[in-house]
Every structure is written in C-alpha cells, then in structure tokens.
Amino acid sequence: MTGSPFLDSLRWLGDSAHWTGPGGIPLRTLEHLGYTALGVLVAALLAVPIGLYVGHSGRGKGVAVAAAGAARALPTLGLVTLFALLVGIGLTAPLLSFVILAIPSLLAGAYSAVESAEPATVDAARAQGMTEWQILTRVELPLGMPLLVGGFRGATVQVVATAMLAAYVGSGGLGRYIFQGLGSQNYPQMIAGSLLVIALALVLDLTLLLAQRLTAPPGVRAS
Amino acid sequence: MIGFENVRKEYPGGTLAVQDFSLEIASHESVVLVGTSGSGKTTLMRMINRMVDPTSGRVHIDGDDVTSLDPVQLRRSIGYVMQASGLLPHRTVLDNITTVPVLRGTAKREARTHAHELMEIVGLDAALAERYPSQLSGGQQQRVGVARGLAADPNILLMDEPFGAVDPIVRAELQRELQHLQRDLRKTIVFVTHDIDEAFLLGDRVAILRPGGIIAQVGTPQEILADPADDFVSSFVGADRGARTLHVERVDGRDVVVDADGRPAGVLAASGDRSAGEGAADGRTRERSS
Amino acid sequence: MTWVLANLDVIAGYTGSHLLQALPPILVAFLLSLPLAKLANSRGWLRTSVTTTSSLMYAIPSLPLFVLLPGLIGTGVRSPLNIAVALSLYGLALMVPAAADAFRSVNREVLGSATAQGYAPRARFLQVELPLAGPVLLAGVRVVAVSTISLVTVGGVLGVPSLGMLFVDGVRRGILAEIAAGIVATVLLALLIDALLVMLGRAVMPWTRRQGARTP
C-alpha cells in the first residue's frame, strides 16, 4: 500500500505465485485466448458465408449494412449481463454475447472483401467462362482477402474486450484480475490485469495486421 | 455461323436496349457492330456468349439456340477480349493467358507452353510472362487480353472495344496486328466499336446501328461508302462532311489525295509502288482520312 | 415493464449523466481531428503512422484504459473526467483516420481552381475544403457518436453513473427488466444522436440532400 501503484503492479506481475496454478497468468491468458477464438470462430461460421453471399450477389446489402451499423450501438456490458441473467453461469452466456458482437465486423469484412473486386474484372472472369463459385474463390476472395482478415481483426478486438467484461459475471480470463482487484480495492492488481489485457489485445491486433499485409494479393498495389 | 433472329432486349425498369435485331454472321467472317453509346452494340455481342439473354428472339451458333447451351461451357468455347483488358490483377501474364485452358482441364504445363507461343504471336516479349498486369503498359495489357481470348483456340472471338483505351499510335499498331492475325487464323470475329474508321479497317462487313439496335445499314465498307443508305449513315461515316469524298491534286509532281475541304488524306501510289504499300489500293486504307 | 415505469426517474437521471459524459468526447474528437488529420495528410509517413497508432489505440479495451489513465493523468478512477479523456482518445482513434480520408476525398482540381480564383489559404479551407469534406466527416462523426455512447456504459462497473449502472445494478439484484431497459435506452440514445447528426448534416450541407426528397 506504499509507493506508486504502477511499481506495485510490476511487483505483482513479478510475483511467481501469480504465474502458476489455475488462477495463474498463463492459464488465464489461455482461457482468454480460448474464449476469443471460440467466439470469433462461431461468429465467422455464421457471418462469413452470409457476407460472401451478400457481397457476391448484391442482395440484402441494405439489411446487412443496417444490421452491422445498429449492432455497433449495442452496449457490450449490457449484453454480457443480460445473458448472464437469462442463461446463467457457464460458457453459453458469454459466448452468446461474443458471437453477437463479433458478427458485424465479420459480416462487413466479408461483403466488403467481395465487393472490392473491380466490376470489370468480375465481368471479364464471367465472360471467360468461370462459374460463380470460381469467380468467388479465384477472383473476388483473393483480391479482397486483406479486407476479410480486417473483419477478423475487428471481431477479435471486440471479443477480447467483451471476454474481459464477461469476468464481471463470473467467467474466467484475464478480466478476473481487474474485477477481483476492484472488489478488494487492490489497485496494483487492477493495473496488472489491465496491462495484461492490453498486451494481449495489442499482440492479437498486430498479428492480424501482419496477416492483413501478408494476404494482400501480389500484383495489386496497396492503396 | 452465328444468327440473330428478331432479338429484343428490355432491361428491368423499362430501358429498351435492342428493339428487333436480325443478322447472320458467316463462319470465318469478321463483322463489326458500330454505333454510338445506346445503340445496343455491346448488349448484342454479349448475347452470343450469354452474358446477356434476350427478352425475346433467338441467338444461335451453328444451328444451336444458345439458351439451350450451358453458359459456362459456352463462354469457355468463345474468346472474349474487352476494353481495359479485364485481366485478373492478382495473376501473372502467363496465368491470365492460361485461365480458360486450365478451366477446361488442359494440363498446366501444356497450357503454359501454348501460352508462350501465343505471347509471341501477339507480339509480347517472353520476359513479360511473370509480370503482373499493373506492371504492363496499356498496349501490352491489350495484347495479353487478345492472347487470353485466343488461348482456348475458340472458333468465335468477341471483341468489345478492345483498343478503345490505348493511345492512337498503339491503337493503329494493334489494329494492324489483328488484321495479320485474322489473315492466318480465320476466326469468326464479332467486333464492337464506336470508331467508324476502325470498323472499316477491321470488318469484312460492318453493321451501323441506330439507338435501340436498329440496323441503319449493313454491308462491306466499300458498299457502305459507295452507297450510304440514308442521311444517318452518311453523317456517321463522314460522307456528309466531305471527309469521304476524295479527289486527286497534283503537288510537286505527285498525286496527292485530298478530301472535300482540301485536307490531304494521302499520296496516290504510282503503279510501281503497289507491292510496297500492302493493300494500299484495296479501297480501304486509301480512304482513311483524319 | 413495471420496473421501468416505477423507475423512470432513475433512468432519466442516468440518461442525463450518460449524455454529459458522451457529448464532450464526441465534440473534442471532432474538433481535434481536423488539425491532426490535416497534419497527418501533409506527410506520407506521418499518415501511415497515424493510421497504425489509431488502429492500435482502438484495439485497447476500454476498462483497462479507464483503470490505467488515472495513474497517468492524476484523476480518480471514478472521476467523470477520467472517462471523458479515455473516450476522447477512442474518438480520436476513429475520427483522425476518417478525417484524413475526408480531406483526401476532396477533388484536388476544385481546390486548385479555388486557389486560382484567389481564395486565401484560410478562406479556402473554411469555405471550400471543409464543406466538400463534410459528407465523409459526417460519416466519421456518426460512427464516433454511436461507439462513444455505447462505451460510456462500461464506466458502470467502476461506479461512474451512466445507463451502464442499470446493468451493474440489474445483475446484482437479478432484475432482467432493468438490464433490458439499459440496453434499449442506450441504443435509443445512440440512434437519437445519430438522427440528430444526420439532420444537422442536411441543414449545413444542403447540396447533399437527395433530389426530390422534399416532394410531398
């Protein structure tokens, strides 16, 4: 309780007791990663096919854009607490909010990826005799891949933050440290937990940023 | 042979692109559809490979109604060259040329060998094979477009203003090379343009279209120039402005051909010069004005 | 519904403090983004680094930022100023790249002809460049507004009064209606502010109105 809370939080992070056992940093980090991966994956299974369809056919674009926009207004904490009360403790409640909040980014990423191909290029591909599936997989997707990865990036950032808030209603993950610290007035622990969440978020964001750069199609200059 | 029978195309929303169009195009013939925008020329051409289906009427190829054919297979059997090339920006020149053969199941190695031959035929340096389209000049891109159109050795080649986006000097070069190619390959070519000079240069026959795909006149360039069907055609080919009425004036001991305004169009070849200027007196190049 | 009717005054109170926390950061983000975006556009490397910094800033979850900021700027964790600074940072992270795009979207030839007509730099910016960048700027502000109003709720877990308190209180006492009311109120507030921004945009940029929009 003496000295700067930042120094105390570094001391907290350096304490080997916090690096082992079920409540240790490595396991909490893995938990957090697991939540994020699961949430983004389930959301992707739903949103990416719909987004690709919307982008390729142009049908339902208005609905998709409106849905993606409206979902941005949804308060994360509200969803997390709502499902906690509705569904109870367990993985289902937080997962529901992860999926709902990850869908808009993925949907927008998928349809803008497909749409980003020049209409003339798509027209030429069709005139050469490509099937619609071949146009999607060999022309539109390779050209729009960075935008699709961008959708995953946005969704990941969103779910990392939501997974942290889910600890408020009893989930695991790195958010635990913050809320335990909040409950016991342990400010250094809150700071330590915050630093860990931020580090995780930045590492994931940078990784996906790199993936975005790497999936840029050859021959197309980055705009 | 390609046949259009009373073809009509109405787009949703009521735009009438083509009213009632009939035309027969013989095998190995090159026919140019020429008209301003709104003449339905591109729409008509795209009916041949089912990029557009007519609202009513029939399009047939060698007797088969195209609507009875699978569009994907049909398109793979017909070469298509478009304005601004439409190349896949994320694939190399060689991969672009081999697209259709590979789609049709030709072994990759074989397709690539053939693609190298095609590059030579259309006048592309072999060193460009692994370049991406964005690394080529406009003229080179169009050459790749032509090579791609020829890659599956189609009987029919559709060309949608293929030289519209390149500068005049390169365009003239590409037009000349297409003439040479056609002399060897004898494809059935349907060519769309708004440039009447290009039409007269490249078409065995030319169809001049009014808005709505109405044929104002169809015939060989000579027939059209000799006897324009009406004022629309006269004005379209420039006969009304005197650009097509040429006469000979003697300048410095040579016969200079000038149009009605006195602007020179060329020099009349002496009988000994004939072999040098290929086709100089076949009734077409002689009349190139501008 | 009974809960909502019985607690209308509570909801109204939280809505008020919610707005008080949300509006200043939206305004600050907009005003600061203009010079920052102009500056960023002046150098290629600067624009790249601004874009990257912004996207990384936006990747930082809000609660950890609320927790860390007091140590950096000397406010209390529960201070509304703390929340306001954090939300302004998020707003800037969204708005600076949007404003940079907006200024880049303005036709260079129009600017050139304005200069040729004799606009001084300041007048050219205020009377030509800013209005022409307006539609893209407005799109950016709308995103900032909606996102900020949603983010304010997170302060609830720290005890900062806002509609987020309805979630915290609702889950503690097990009142589903309270949480639902919080979600609905937050979304409605966001939609309301968004609609006001659209109307404001039409009022100050009459040339962007669709033709025939006012035919009876």
Side-chain angles (χ1 to χ4, degrees):
Chain A
M1 295 304 112
T2 52
S4 138
F6 273 100
L7 286 179
D8 288 342
S9 75
L10 291 180
R11 216 163 288 141
W12 188 94
L13 283 172
D15 185 344
S16 60
H18 296 132
W19 288 87
T20 51
I25 293 167
L27 269 178
R28 288 287 185 226
T29 308
L30 275 181
E31 257 179 338
H32 210 116
L33 275 174
Y35 289 149
T36 307
L38 192 63
V40 172
L41 204 71
V42 173
L45 288 175
L46 295 168
V48 172
I50 296 175
L52 296 183
Y53 174 79
V54 168
H56 182 74
S57 69
R59 270 174 235 162
K61 169 116 193 281
V63 179
V65 174
R72 216 176 347 224
L74 282 176
T76 312
L77 184 64
L79 287 196
V80 167
T81 51
L82 180 79
F83 289 125
L85 272 197
L86 272 179
V87 185
I89 300 171
L91 191 56
T92 319
L95 189 60
L96 274 171
S97 46
F98 300 162
V99 170
I100 290 176
L101 292 162
I103 280 177
S105 290
L106 289 163
L107 193 65
Y111 72 63
S112 53
V114 174
E115 276 186 343
S116 71
E118 288 280 331
T121 305
V122 174
D123 184 76
R126 190 171 286 126
Q128 304 297 312
M130 285 200 184
T131 61
E132 295 307 305
W133 180 251
Q134 286 166 337
I135 292 172
L136 181 67
T137 55
R138 299 188 190 187
V139 181
E140 290 170 334
L141 266 183
L143 286 173
M145 197 48 88
L147 286 172
L148 182 61
V149 176
F152 274 88
R153 197 175 150 207
T156 303
V157 163
Q158 180 67 53
V159 176
V160 167
T162 311
M164 178 210 59
L165 286 180
Y168 183 68
V169 288
S171 297
L174 292 169
R176 271 291 177 89
Y177 298 128
I178 302 179
F179 290 111
Q180 279 170 354
L182 189 66
S184 59
Q185 303 280 310
N186 185 344
Y187 194 49
Q189 184 186 332
M190 286 173 73
I191 293 179
S194 298
L195 290 172
L196 289 170
V197 173
I198 290 174
L200 181 68
L202 290 182
V203 166
L204 287 176
D205 194 52
L206 282 170
T207 308
L208 286 164
L209 177 67
L210 189 68
Q212 252 182 312
R213 299 263 159 91
L214 290 178
T215 53
V220 182
R221 290 193 191 106
S223 53
Chain B
M1 194 192 77
I2 304 169
F4 290 87
E5 279 176 26
N6 302 105
V7 169
R8 180 182 175 85
K9 180 64 191 180
E10 225 172 309
Y11 283 107
T15 316
L16 186 60
V18 176
Q19 257 178 34
D20 181 4
F21 181 87
S22 298
L23 184 70
E24 293 217 327
I25 297 166
S27 297
H28 311 298
E29 182 187 27
S30 87
V31 166
V32 180
L33 304 178
V34 60
T36 52
S37 54
S39 63
K41 53 189 190 299
T42 299
T43 303
L44 283 165
M45 191 196 73
R46 286 161 71 91
M47 286 178 186
I48 298 169
N49 66 350
R50 291 200 64 188
M51 289 297 283
V52 174
D53 279 330
T55 313
S56 66
R58 248 165 48 96
V59 177
H60 51 83
I61 298 174
D62 296 332
D64 293 328
D65 187 333
V66 291
T67 52
S68 70
L69 304 171
D70 174 57
V72 167
Q73 298 305 325
L74 178 70
R75 289 169 195 156
R76 289 180 188 176
S77 71
I78 295 177
Y80 189 100
V81 186
M82 65 194 293
Q83 187 172 16
S85 77
L87 299 175
L88 299 178
H90 60 306
R91 299 230 182 139
T92 61
V93 166
L94 211 58
D95 287 340
N96 264 291
I97 298 174
T98 55
T99 304
V100 180
V102 168
L103 286 175
R104 293 176 76 169
T106 309
K108 205 154 188 179
R109 180 183 293 261
E110 193 186 324
R112 290 173 84 88
T113 311
H114 184 49
H116 276 294
E117 292 166 19
L118 282 166
M119 284 182 67
E120 205 183 320
I121 290 174
V122 300
L124 280 168
D125 194 299
L128 301 176
E130 298 304 325
R131 294 261 188 100
Y132 289 102
S134 62
Q135 299 164 338
L136 302 180
S137 71
Q140 288 169 332
Q141 289 184 27
Q142 286 312 123
R143 288 170 199 268
V144 178
V146 173
R148 181 175 66 170
L150 293 171
D153 196 22
N155 293 323
I156 299 172
L157 194 57
L158 306 180
M159 309 190 81
D160 183 8
E161 306 211 27
F163 311 138
V166 292
D167 68 66
I169 294 170
V170 177
R171 185 184 313 147
E173 200 176 311
L174 289 168
Q175 288 167 340
R176 216 161 31 238
E177 287 177 19
L178 181 64
Q179 283 182 304
H180 286 239
L181 266 179
Q182 173 64 354
R183 205 163 296 163
D184 299 334
L185 299 174
R186 306 288 295 147
K187 303 286 181 194
T188 305
I189 295 182
V190 180
F191 194 107
V192 160
T193 182
H194 60 262
D195 176 356
I196 188 68
D197 290 318
E198 185 171 63
F200 284 166
L201 187 66
L202 298 175
D204 295 330
R205 281 195 300 152
V206 172
I208 297 177
L209 302 179
R210 295 176 192 279
I214 296 165
I215 296 183
Q217 186 170 7
V218 60
T220 64
Q222 290 88 335
E223 285 166 1
I224 292 175
L225 274 174
D227 184 18
D230 54 24
D231 290 348
F232 177 81
V233 175
S234 289
S235 131
F236 203 96
V237 303
D240 63 335
R241 299 186 305 273
R244 301 287 177 189
T245 319
L246 306 178
H247 61 271
V248 176
E249 275 176 14
R250 196 136 182 104
V251 180
D252 290 343
R254 292 212 62 164
D255 291 325
V256 176
V257 180
V258 297
D259 65 16
D261 297 330
R263 276 183 306 213
V267 181
L268 203 62
S271 50
D273 293 348
R274 268 196 99 142
S275 53
E278 204 175 9
D282 71 353
R284 284 189 230 162
T285 29
R286 188 180 62 202
E287 274 147 353
R288 277 181 61 78
S289 55
S290 70
Chain C
M1 214 53 205
T2 343
W3 184 92
V4 174
L5 292 177
N7 292 276
L8 277 177
D9 55 332
V10 176
I11 299 176
Y14 283 149
T15 307
S17 37
H18 198 111
L19 268 180
L20 279 179
Q21 283 171 74
L23 293 181
I26 298 172
L27 197 67
V28 167
F30 174 69
L31 292 176
L32 280 185
S33 74
L34 299 180
L36 288 176
K38 287 292 286 178
L39 186 69
N41 277 349
S42 65
R43 302 266 188 287
W45 60 269
L46 206 55
R47 203 164 58 82
T48 320
S49 41
V50 162
T51 314
T52 312
T53 315
S54 298
S55 79
L56 287 179
M57 173 72 224
Y58 199 67
I60 295 175
S62 51
L63 183 60
L65 190 63
F66 294 162
V67 170
L68 286 185
L69 261 185
L72 301 171
I73 60 173
T75 54
V77 171
R78 288 179 180 80
S79 146
L81 184 63
N82 177 35
I83 308 285
V85 172
L87 294 178
S88 302
L89 286 174
Y90 285 121
L92 281 171
L94 286 172
M95 197 61 214
V96 174
D101 284 347
F103 288 127
R104 276 158 52 84
S105 77
V106 176
N107 191 333
R108 307 243 121 242
E109 287 174 20
V110 173
L111 290 184
S113 82
T115 311
Q117 283 166 20
Y119 275 99
R122 227 178 98 93
R124 190 185 82 159
F125 176 73
L126 289 175
Q127 294 171 36
V128 182
E129 193 173 4
L130 194 58
L132 288 180
V136 185
L137 286 173
L138 176 65
V141 177
R142 290 175 63 189
V143 172
V144 171
V146 169
S147 135
T148 305
I149 288 168
S150 164
L151 276 176
V152 168
T153 58
V154 176
V157 296
L158 297 172
V160 186
S162 75
L163 288 168
M165 291 301 284
L166 298 177
F167 308 143
V168 173
D169 191 59
V171 83
R172 195 176 293 147
R173 292 159 58 193
I175 307 172
L176 197 61
E178 186 172 359
I179 296 177
I183 295 179
V184 171
T186 311
V187 172
L188 282 181
L189 194 61
L191 293 181
L192 178 76
I193 298 294
D194 188 52
L196 286 175
L197 283 171
V198 171
M199 279 158 61
L200 185 69
R202 288 214 187 118
V204 299
M205 297 182 288
W207 66 92
T208 60
R209 284 180 214 147
R210 284 220 193 105
Q211 284 287 316
R214 277 190 297 169
T215 44

